[in-house]
Amino acid sequence: MKSECAAIDALLDERRRFAPPPGFVARARVADPAVYAEAEDWEAYWERWARRLHWFSPWSTALEWSPPDARWFQEGTLNACYNCIDRHLPEGAGRPALLWEGEPGDRRRFTYGELATEVERFAGVLKSVGVGRGDRVAIYLPMIPEAVFAMLACARIGAPHSVVFAGFSPDSLADRINDAGAEVLVTADGGYRRGKVIALKRNADRAAARCPGLRSVVVVRRGQGVGSDGVEMTVGRDHWYHELAQSVRDGCSAEPMGAEDLLYILYTSGTTGKPKGVVHTTGGYMTQVYATTRTVLDLRQDDVYWCTADVGWVTGHSYVVYGPLAAGAAVVIYEGAPDWPDRGRFWEICERYGVSVFYTAPTAIRAFMQWGDEWPAARELGSIRLLGTVGEPINPEAWIWYRRAIGGDRCPIVDTWWQTETGAMMISPLPGVTHARPGSACRPLPGIDVDLLNDGGESVKAGYLAITRPWPSMLRGIWGDRPRFLETYWSKWDGIYFAGDGAKVDDDGYLWLLGRVDDVLNVAGHRIGTMEVESALVEHEAVAEAAVVGVEHPVKGQGIAAFVTLMGGREGSDELAAELRGHVADSIGAIARPEVVLFAADLPKTRSGKIMRRLLGDIAAGRAIGDTTTLAEPAVVRGVRERYREAEGG
Ligand code: ATP
Ligand code: MG
């Protein structure tokens, strides 16, 4: 089937690779296929979910839609923190809320009752440094319980937070503080990553030097007081959290917030350029996050749930903090690296806490796959009943491995497509309802409508992913940049959201995400999705991870350069490169045969773990490397560039 879409065309024949594995039995508990039919009246569907939250006062209208501006649950008032804590009390006071483990092995746990105390104290501290309703607070913390306390404390007093991932540099932090106009920063003396102490306060000081509007810095002492010795406190500006906390006397009740009041600003990871401050409000966001936590992650109060995302990303906001706590589950939080002290750390944690629902990213799954089955096999993972993935398209090969090696071939996998901008999951199978297919995010969730469109706005089988009607947790804007909001998401078609991803739909209505529209290749007039070529490469037993980009080609216009990392124990060679090129040609067609296959020790990734194809494209084209502020390991780029020059013989 050919579409007339300019950036993405008919992508591939689907015969191969994507065949579903032998039927599997879901062990989830929400199994009710009727939910799709129930959601046909979609506004009523979202209202039903909204009613399951606690509201101080009811809304008058479900939705006012004046594209691209949506106002959900107008006049209703609620508090996000209240919904995560207070409404579970007093009955749930003794139930576990946070199960925390530091990288060095220190552990802390908090019941819902204790969480309430901690968050109220944190809120009191924020008030004591002058934070009030509407004031933005920047949070730059490692994955310690205080990161959750700080976010919920902000929500409690109606101060929007702007969480900045602790791996970001002082410059990135300063840009985000200034853009959000935050006057207060919450940070820590340090945190652990791969056995090293990250000197967060020192980074924060460097950032603060560039932030004229910053009045106060609240410094949390990380458990063992790591790096506290070297911490310099600027008198008048900097305060130790534990010292301020001593003078907090009273509890702090939750502010009733308007449904459309700002809950937070979150800057996107920047895979595609300058970070944008995505704005989320309270009522619609909490409604959709809660609904998807219940229906997709199937979370209940008796679940022990672990989402490995950092709170610095949207997944950490929606599915480490707001969703699972609203559902009353026990949330596992781990501070450090998955390979510290060894490559079995994640499975050790799953075993120790009896994790029942596990949610991670394809990039992590591909790393586990490369490290080998022996690590998960050494642990008892029978408590896991549901697996999830988010962040990138998952290669079918990785999906099948995840299902077998982690899920023991008994757990459903929910491949959830969504974005910082969508706030919550949008496309995903429902466990126990959907017969999933490896590599497909399946169908839009109940209450959500998407389409694949071409430039002219016509429905096609392969095209741009478009969201055709408003949804509760949609972004309400880009902080301080209305033109960019309109241009980025709403300028392609009238009143329809442009997601920036390409996708195709098969005859059964299953959606297959193909990657970002900007990454789509055009080889001799054929549109080829990066995802398809990468999945063909990963399918080869020698390959752990692959990224492909277009390179200029005198005849074809564009040729394909493939960067691959190999499975443990495998070595790159000219023979293997030739074999891989042939393998892609066999599985997709000669048109997709890469011009060059390059073996790299590692691929450049954003700090959220996504492959940065833009940089690989620059390398392959011999261009100067663009903005790398969001890159996790700049040295990887040097390594890849050197290998590429060698391979090119220059
Ligand atoms: P930036 O917008 O700054 O470039 P980003 O898009 O990487 O950064 P996120 O909002 O975290 O930041 O990621 C959303 C994107 O991740 C989606 O647009 C899509 O490209 C990809 N993605 C997320 N989940 C999936 C999934 N399940 N399948 C396919 N792609 C996914
Ligand atoms: Mg994006």
Side-chain angles (χ1 to χ4, degrees):
M1 171 100 204
K2 265 218 159 229
S3 74
E4 320 89 72
C5 186
I8 306 169
D9 214 323
L11 281 145
L12 275 182
D13 48 331
E14 276 149 44
R15 50 193 156 76
R16 333 139 273 129
R17 307 201 302 278
F18 296 140
F24 46 83
V25 185
R27 283 208 332 187
R29 292 168 294 187
V30 275
D32 185 4
V35 67
Y36 289 100
E38 264 169 40
E40 256 156 44
D41 184 350
W42 53 280
E43 289 186 37
Y45 173 79
W46 290 121
E47 283 192 288
R48 275 201 297 282
W49 275 106
R51 261 181 236 118
R52 293 174 189 152
L53 295 173
H54 171 274
W55 295 75
F56 295 114
S57 60
W59 59 91
S60 53
T61 44
L63 170 66
E64 280 168 30
W65 176 226
S66 155
D69 299 306
R71 302 186 69 80
W72 283 89
F73 310 121
Q74 281 279 62
E75 283 163 51
T77 59
L78 77 167
N79 185 284
C81 175
Y82 188 101
N83 275 286
C84 291
I85 302 177
D86 307 52
R87 80 170 168 139
H88 305 310
L89 306 178
E91 314 81 65
R95 284 205 318 267
L98 299 183
L99 305 169
W100 177 81
E101 184 160 320
E103 195 186 71
D106 41 343
R107 291 174 206 160
R108 296 161 74 192
R109 51 191 302 160
F110 301 86
T111 62
Y112 275 90
E114 289 161 345
L115 181 62
T117 309
E118 296 289 347
V119 169
E120 289 193 40
R121 186 180 300 139
F122 215 111
V125 164
L126 291 177
K127 282 184 176 172
S128 76
V129 294
V131 177
R133 200 175 157 123
D135 298 337
R136 277 84 57 210
V137 175
I139 298 176
Y140 183 63
L141 286 173
M143 282 296 277
I144 54 177
E146 283 78 5
V148 179
F149 305 160
M151 289 167 73
L152 291 173
C154 285
R156 195 166 189 84
I157 62 178
H161 51 72
S162 167
V163 181
V164 180
F165 175 54
F168 275 128
S169 65
D171 276 344
S172 304
L173 173 61
D175 290 345
R176 287 160 173 77
I177 292 173
N178 289 332
D179 190 82
E183 296 182 4
V184 173
L185 168 68
V186 180
T187 187
D189 45 1
Y192 285 99
R193 184 82 190 173
R194 270 201 192 90
K196 287 208 200 78
V197 173
I198 314 281
L200 281 181
K201 176 62 165 68
R202 205 178 316 141
N203 286 352
D205 286 340
R206 287 195 195 129
R210 285 191 38 211
C211 301
L214 194 66
R215 281 188 294 106
S216 303
V217 179
V218 176
V219 188
V220 173
R221 197 169 53 185
R222 154 76 176 81
Q224 304 164 330
V226 287
S228 302
D229 313 339
V231 167
E232 284 171 27
M233 301 292 275
T234 300
V235 179
R237 186 195 70 185
D238 299 353
H239 315 273
W240 284 106
Y241 173 77
H242 59 273
E243 288 174 4
L244 293 177
Q246 279 171 359
S247 37
V248 174
R249 293 276 168 270
D250 310 322
C252 171
S253 61
E255 276 287 292
M257 303 300 292
E260 285 296 340
D261 280 344
L262 194 57
L263 179 59
Y264 65 79
I265 303 170
L266 179 60
Y267 291 82
T268 56
S269 57
T271 315
T272 50
K274 181 177 174 280
K276 319 176 256 285
V278 170
V279 168
H280 283 295
T281 57
T282 310
Y285 174 82
M286 284 303 291
T287 298
Q288 192 172 333
V289 165
Y290 181 63
T292 49
T293 300
R294 293 295 305 273
T295 56
V296 180
L297 296 173
D298 187 33
L299 275 199
R300 307 296 166 97
Q301 292 179 353
D302 58 1
D303 275 307
V304 178
Y305 162 75
W306 186 18
C307 165
T308 65
D310 192 282
V311 288
W313 313 122
V314 73
T315 307
H317 284 57
S318 301
Y319 300 108
V320 173
V321 180
Y322 291 110
L325 293 175
V331 178
V332 173
I333 296 181
Y334 168 57
E335 175 187 33
D339 54 355
W340 192 269
D342 64 39
R343 292 171 163 181
R345 184 65 183 267
F346 271 23
W347 318 123
E348 181 192 330
I349 292 174
C350 284
E351 181 185 79
R352 177 172 309 124
Y353 299 100
V355 168
S356 58
V357 178
F358 181 73
Y359 191 33
T360 194
T363 183
I365 297 167
R366 290 189 299 259
F368 303 145
M369 207 164 95
Q370 182 179 23
W371 296 343
D373 286 22
E374 61 269 30
W375 297 104
R379 296 289 173 176
E380 175 50 54
L381 301 180
S383 59
I384 300 180
R385 65 178 182 85
L386 178 65
L387 297 171
T389 146
V390 61
E392 287 182 290
I394 181 164
N395 318 90
E397 203 63 21
W399 191 103
I400 290 164
W401 182 89
Y402 192 32
R403 191 179 142 72
R404 179 181 55 74
I406 309 303
D409 268 331
R410 80 184 170 268
C411 306
I413 295 180
V414 288
D415 174 359
T416 61
W417 180 92
W418 59 293
Q419 310 176 299
T420 308
E421 294 88 339
T422 69
M425 298 167 183
M426 301 292 283
I427 305 175
S428 169
L430 286 180
V433 176
T434 315
H435 188 94
R437 296 177 183 182
S440 170
C442 298
R443 296 173 62 185
L445 288 169
I448 300 297
D449 201 23
V450 310
D451 203 351
L452 305 185
L453 301 179
N454 64 14
D455 286 302
E458 293 153 335
S459 282
V460 287
K461 289 282 237 180
Y464 303 116
L465 179 62
I467 307 174
T468 48
R469 62 181 186 217
W471 64 100
S473 60
M474 66 196 289
L475 80 166
R476 301 302 198 264
I478 291 182
W479 183 254
D481 199 345
R482 177 83 178 170
R484 194 169 178 204
F485 171 63
L486 299 177
E487 168 62 29
T488 310
Y489 310 106
W490 302 100
S491 61
K492 202 161 188 70
W493 314 286
D494 208 15
I496 293 177
Y497 175 86
F498 171 69
D501 285 1
K504 62 181 176 176
V505 59
D506 66 21
D507 292 337
D508 302 321
Y510 280 61
L511 290 164
W512 301 83
L513 274 301
L514 297 166
R516 292 158 204 281
V517 173
D518 304 342
D519 292 337
V520 171
L521 310 163
N522 184 347
V523 182
H526 295 259
R527 305 283 172 177
I528 299 175
T530 47
M531 177 60 187
E532 323 237 10
V533 183
E534 289 162 8
S535 287
L537 286 162
V538 173
E539 189 191 37
H540 190 282
E541 35 92 23
V543 176
E545 193 157 45
V548 305
V549 295
V551 284
E552 222 173 285
H553 190 280
V555 181
K556 302 180 197 167
Q558 236 179 10
I560 299 175
F563 297 77
V564 302
T565 63
L566 296 175
M567 289 296 213
R570 297 296 300 248
E571 289 274 326
S573 65
D574 290 349
E575 291 71 41
L576 182 58
E579 190 180 319
L580 292 176
R581 294 176 62 230
H583 176 75
V584 174
D586 287 346
S587 66
I588 303 180
I591 191 74
R593 184 196 304 272
E595 303 303 318
V596 51
V597 170
L598 182 92
F599 302 104
D602 212 345
L603 298 173
K605 305 227 174 105
T606 61
R607 289 163 201 272
S608 56
K610 302 184 194 201
I611 297 170
M612 264 181 124
R613 292 186 190 73
R614 176 169 62 78
L615 285 186
L616 292 172
D618 290 343
I619 290 170
R623 282 191 295 268
I625 308 275
D627 182 10
T628 56
T629 47
T630 55
L631 191 66
E633 307 268 359
V636 170
V637 173
R638 275 197 302 281
V640 172
R641 186 161 43 184
E642 276 153 24
R643 293 301 314 267
Y644 193 78
R645 286 204 184 119
E646 277 166 32
E648 290 233 294

